[in-house]
Amino acid sequence: MMGPAHSLSGAAAWLGVGAAATAAGHGMPWPVLLCGALICAGAALAPDLDHKAATISRSFGPLSRWLCEVVDKLSYTVYKATKKPGDARRSGGHRTLTHTWLWAVLIGAVTSVSAIVGGRWAVLAILFVHLVLAIEGLLWRATRGASADVLVWLLAATSAWIIAGVLDQPGNGADWLFTAPGQEYLWLGLPVVLGALVHDIGDALTVSGCPVLWPIPVGRKRWYPIGPPKAMRFRAGSWVELRVLMPAFMVLGGVGGAAALNVI
């Protein structure tokens, strides 16, 4: 899928989690619902860090372009080292390592540990990175061009500072779900994991499928491209994505958010 659909699906997924948490008696304070939706929208773009043409590759200038090259090479190396006889020959690492459940869990764990160990500045960095990606994804056409990048970074930095300040207030969610002393912001890894998994599921619906289960082998393949029957798949950017899935994500996100806030 394309960037806007990925970001919308990520936001909708977290709002759905908010609704489920409310139903289970662990309701999210509104700052957690908002912050988590934005982080999840950004994290839903992150698996494409292995593709130089993806939104994330240009979101942070030369740094993200260089990082994309590194991740692409790393992913390709891991693919070659772990593939089975049934796996296809490849010339790059796109849709391999960063499109797996193991990568999603690892990145989420790193996020949570960083938030605990690094304190406020680590939290601000996590918020900034994911807010940049969320803005780039949700406002896709409005953020084209180098001049827009600076504005996106300023908006993300300002928003991260404000959101962190709101979350730090008593009862606003810094200690949501994990309430023991020193576990503030441990939950930040959850929307990161969810965003990455939602990205993988979205890609699994497209023609190429997605090797979400790696390193679990399926038959003669370790990088088995999970997906529905081929007749039900679509091409990225097709009318199915633009006219069916994206409106559906908006509706589901709205219903989930309203349920999470006990509006319905």
Side-chain angles (χ1 to χ4, degrees):
M1 291 198 297
M2 303 295 287
H6 278 311
S7 287
L8 277 174
S9 66
W14 183 257
L15 294 171
V17 168
T22 296
H26 297 285
M28 299 178 185
W30 71 264
V32 174
L33 188 67
L34 172 63
C35 178
L38 291 172
I39 291 177
C40 203
L45 294 180
D48 278 343
L49 191 58
D50 59 5
H51 195 314
K52 63 181 181 181
T55 300
I56 189 173
S57 70
R58 62 168 187 79
S59 294
F60 301 95
L63 175 61
S64 55
R65 288 194 291 271
W66 170 80
L67 190 57
C68 279
E69 292 180 4
V70 171
V71 172
D72 177 47
K73 289 182 173 61
L74 171 64
S75 298
Y76 183 50
T77 300
V78 172
Y79 180 85
K80 290 194 298 182
T82 62
K83 71 183 185 72
K84 294 186 69 176
D87 289 310
R89 299 187 63 173
R90 302 179 61 96
S91 59
H94 182 48
R95 284 203 186 184
T96 55
L97 180 62
T98 62
H99 288 68
T100 65
W101 69 270
L102 187 59
W103 178 271
V105 172
L106 176 62
I107 294 301
V110 169
T111 300
S112 291
V113 171
S114 299
I116 294 175
V117 174
R120 180 175 175 79
W121 287 107
V123 170
L124 287 171
I126 292 167
L127 289 174
F128 171 73
V129 168
H130 288 92
L131 286 174
V132 168
L133 294 177
I135 294 168
E136 294 274 8
L138 296 173
L139 302 178
W140 193 55
R141 295 192 182 280
T143 58
R144 305 295 95 178
S147 60
D149 287 343
V150 176
L151 296 177
V152 170
W153 298 339
L154 289 174
L155 177 58
T158 303
S159 300
W161 188 271
I162 293 172
I163 290 173
V166 173
L167 286 168
D168 282 338
Q169 298 300 314
N172 276 0
D175 59 350
W176 175 73
L177 200 60
F178 303 96
T179 57
Q183 292 185 349
E184 293 82 6
Y185 293 109
L186 182 60
W187 60 269
L188 283 180
L190 298 178
V192 172
V193 174
L194 181 61
L197 291 177
V198 167
H199 177 108
D200 296 344
I201 293 171
D203 278 354
L205 298 176
T206 62
V207 174
S208 300
C210 188
V212 184
L213 295 181
W214 182 88
I216 302 171
V218 178
R220 298 179 65 251
K221 296 182 178 182
R222 193 178 300 279
W223 298 88
Y224 188 85
I226 297 296
K230 290 188 177 181
M232 299 175 61
R233 302 186 188 189
F234 58 89
R235 293 191 179 278
S238 68
W239 66 270
V240 175
E241 179 178 332
L242 300 177
R243 300 180 183 177
V244 177
L245 293 182
M246 289 180 65
F249 295 150
M250 293 180 189
V251 172
L252 291 174
V255 172
L261 297 173
N262 283 315
V263 175
I264 58 174

